[in-house]
Every structure is written in C-alpha cells, then in structure tokens.
Amino acid sequence: MKTRQLPFAATHLPGVPAPPEVSPDADLLRRLKARAAELPIEANLPAFTGANAWLNSPPLTPAGLRGKVVAVDFWTFTCINWLRTLPYLRAWAKKYGDKGLVVIGVHTPEFPFEHDIENVRRAAKDLKVEYPIAVDSDYTVWNAFDNHYWPALYLVDAQGRIRNHQYGEGAYEMSEVVIQQLLAEAGFSGFRDDLVSVDPQGPEIAADWSSQESPETYLGYERGDTFASPGAVVPDAPHRYTLPSRLRPNDWALAGNWTITDGAAKLIEPGGRIAFRFHARDVNLVMGPARKGDTVRFRVFLDGKVGGAVHGSDVDAQGQGTTSEQRTYQLIRQSGEIEDRTFEIEFLDPGGEAYCFTFG
C-alpha cells in the first residue's frame, strides 16, 4: 500500500508473514456475513466533480448512481499493490455488474507520466480495466474522499452512503461479502453467494510476504535513500557513477553516465547499470523510455549471471527485454528458498528512465 504523504507505507512489514489468502470455509463465511450485516455509515459518497475525464463511461454522479451499489477504487497504473488487487476488481465487475454493482476506478497519478491521459488510456486497455474510470490528475476526487492511499476501496450502498473501506491489499473475502450484503439490502438478487476465484498472472500474483525484506525504493533524490555509489548524488546534472565493491542489503547503486533528478535516474549513454542487493521473491521496476516512441533494450543479471528460470514476465529466458512505455516491469520471479541476492539491469540503449523498485 502506498501513501501520498510518505515514501513507503507497507500493508505488511517486510519479513513478517501476512495472513494467507485462503478459500473461506462455511464458518468463516458465516462470521464475515455477520460482520457485514452490521456495517456502520462512514460518510456520504462525494461527487466526482473535478475529474479531468472519464474512460469507458460518460461522467457518473452520486445522484445518477443512487439505487446501485458502488465500489470506488483509487489506483495508479504503476502501483504494484494495486496491480495485485486488480484480478478481484475485474472478477467483481464481471460477476455483479449486471446484478446492481458499479465498479469505478479513480486514477490518481503518482509519477509525472501518469498524468498523461493517453498513458492512462493505454494502461487501462493493456490491463483490461473495462469498468468506468474517472481520470483524477489534479487530485480533486482524491481530496473529496480525503483519501491517502493506493490502492483504496470504498464500498457504497444504494442510498449513496459509504459503508466499508479497505486500504491496501488483502481482505478480499470481506470486501466481497460486503458487496453481497449491500446488494441484498438494496433488493438485488440473482447472484450466487460464493466468492470469486481468480487466476492472477505476472505482477498481479500476490506477494510472498514471508520472504520479503526489501522495501519500495525510489531512485530520485527527493525520496531516494540507501544510494551506495561512491560519492554523493549530483542532482540534476550528468555524472559518471560507479558501483561500490560491495552492496549491503537494500543498498542500490548506479554505473555509467546518469542524471539523477528529483523523481528518477535518467540514463545518458548506453551501457549504464543499476544494481540492488535485495531479499524478496520478485523484483519490479517502474521504468520506461524518456521519449514516447523510443525503445530501450536491457539485460537482467542475478548474482552476475544472465538468463535462467528466475526471469520475470517482462524478461525472456536469456535475461533480455525491452521497454517501450513507462510502467511497472517484472524483472525477477524466483522459486524455492529466498536469500540475499544482487540484481543488476544493464541498459543497452540510451534514454531509459528508472523511477522506483518494488518487491513481492
């Protein structure tokens, strides 16, 4: 879970096992339904006034949604925590969309390129987000909800009252039982009261919280830390960096000619590298070309070796990949025992920009 105020706010502390997502048995379902039947009234549904645009739908209003159950989901397309909730949002929209539920995604950006509506449109298509999207580039809807997190889910009853919320990943069973309760309260029927099953792929697969000891790490100087290249960061100017002889856990470093800005590390010449000493199953990196239409080739190394079965969904078996759009790339997906390892990515072309590491 991300918060706009702080660089990192984890749903689960690194290294601390999270409660596993399990198929609920009859007793658990009974207890969840009992909780859902006693939902408080938290607030009224704010208006979406101020949204910059709408995708997949004409503009929606609280008055026009009256009589429907509404799930309002705050997201930004690079957020790994939100990506791991997306299979459930899709499944709920499909199962309950003709039974009284309206899912609305409010896209509120974190990085500058997420303010570009064409990037949002492209990401929504690639990620199969087919429900209505309010493009909230100016944070107007975010502020109306007094929201602070990606992802954040607000469940609204047919009278326009917020009855439940969930910040961050997890609690999918409870959220779905609440949806069912609110639909039943509104007189909707015709849906089964079992819970959806999902088949996530790539970065949408839930994190292995029991082995994750590396935090989200930004590469711009405004929020970046644990930078380990010899010498200090040279802000907003080209500088030739080198890798240290040793990286401590969760240290990262650059090699080659880079400019570090407030929000990203930007490669000037081909052959630049980023190294990170990490402890997690997955390594993801928010990155892309500096100019639209460009393609930047890269290679991924793990403990100095290229290729193998540990590559992520955006890397082939030879450790190679390309970035042609700014988004989250899954670069490493391990199996078996997880230990401290050194990740490196080498960019074979100039013009790449790297924003943020996340892990899973």
Side-chain angles (χ1 to χ4, degrees):
M1 175 176 66
K2 288 189 179 185
T3 173
R4 192 184 180 205
Q5 280 68 34
L6 299 174
F8 175 72
T11 307
H12 307 291
L13 293 176
V16 178
E21 294 295 336
V22 296
S23 298
D25 57 22
D27 181 61
L28 176 58
L29 274 175
R30 185 167 55 252
R31 287 185 281 118
L32 291 176
K33 289 178 179 180
R35 288 174 57 193
E38 300 177 353
L39 295 172
I41 297 172
E42 299 182 2
N44 291 324
L45 174 64
F48 300 97
T49 306
N52 303 82
W54 284 81
L55 306 179
N56 303 332
S57 169
L60 300 176
T61 65
L65 292 164
R66 192 63 61 92
K68 298 283 190 178
V69 173
V70 182
V72 179
D73 175 66
F74 283 86
W75 65 297
T76 190
F77 66 79
T78 59
C79 178
I80 189 64
N81 308 95
W82 172 77
L83 285 166
R84 295 193 288 239
T85 70
L86 179 56
Y88 293 90
L89 293 163
R90 290 197 209 98
W92 295 335
K94 181 178 180 180
K95 179 177 178 180
Y96 303 106
D98 61 351
K99 303 295 190 298
L101 176 70
V102 179
V103 178
I104 299 173
V106 179
H107 185 274
T108 313
E110 178 178 16
F111 298 109
F113 57 83
E114 292 175 303
H115 288 257
D116 185 330
I117 190 171
E118 292 308 315
N119 287 341
V120 180
R121 194 187 308 275
R122 182 263 308 161
K125 180 179 179 181
D126 291 347
L127 296 169
K128 299 180 174 59
V129 181
E130 298 174 349
Y131 46 78
I133 299 169
V135 179
D136 184 36
S137 296
D138 297 327
Y139 280 73
T140 305
V141 182
W142 175 284
N143 291 331
F145 275 77
D146 193 25
N147 186 55
H148 301 282
Y149 304 102
W150 298 279
L153 178 68
Y154 297 88
L155 299 178
V156 183
D157 66 18
Q159 298 179 57
R161 304 173 301 185
I162 297 174
R163 301 285 297 281
N164 186 255
H165 66 269
Q166 166 66 25
Y167 300 139
E169 305 173 51
Y172 304 114
E173 295 93 345
M174 184 62 193
S175 293
E176 185 170 0
V177 168
V178 170
I179 290 170
Q180 293 177 354
Q181 174 66 29
L182 297 182
L183 289 171
E185 287 180 6
F188 292 104
S189 60
F191 55 86
R192 295 174 55 181
D193 65 355
D194 59 354
L195 304 183
V196 298
S197 60
V198 299
D199 182 25
Q201 301 295 321
E204 296 179 1
I205 295 175
D208 179 4
W209 297 107
S210 65
S211 67
Q212 183 180 328
E213 297 179 9
S214 292
E216 181 176 47
T217 301
Y218 290 86
L219 306 188
Y221 60 74
E222 184 176 63
R223 291 187 285 178
D225 55 12
T226 67
F227 181 63
S229 286
V233 167
V234 179
D236 300 314
H239 183 74
R240 193 166 295 278
Y241 295 93
T242 59
L243 299 181
S245 59
R246 175 178 173 270
L247 287 172
R248 296 175 301 179
N250 298 326
D251 279 355
W252 66 279
L254 298 175
N257 195 2
W258 295 80
T259 296
I260 300 180
T261 69
D262 59 344
K266 302 185 178 186
L267 180 62
I268 298 171
E269 298 174 351
R273 288 194 177 207
I274 309 174
F276 198 116
R277 185 72 172 165
F278 76 101
H279 190 114
R281 184 194 64 195
D282 305 339
V283 177
N284 312 299
L285 181 59
V286 178
M287 64 177 183
R291 297 189 308 178
K292 279 191 175 183
D294 285 357
T295 296
V296 177
R297 297 168 298 152
F298 62 82
R299 290 188 296 183
V300 168
F301 302 81
L302 193 61
D303 293 336
K305 299 178 181 178
V306 65
V310 296
H311 64 89
S313 57
D314 290 298
V315 180
D316 66 19
Q318 287 71 50
Q320 300 183 33
T322 61
T323 172
S324 57
E325 58 200 19
Q326 292 162 316
R327 62 176 175 88
T328 296
Y329 289 78
Q330 186 189 80
L331 304 177
I332 296 292
R333 159 61 59 81
Q334 302 183 77
S335 59
E337 185 176 354
I338 304 303
E339 57 188 20
D340 288 353
R341 307 190 75 171
T342 298
F343 164 87
E344 289 184 70
I345 181 170
E346 178 186 20
F347 294 93
L348 306 180
D349 301 301
E353 297 180 334
Y355 290 82
C356 177
F357 279 102
T358 59
F359 302 90

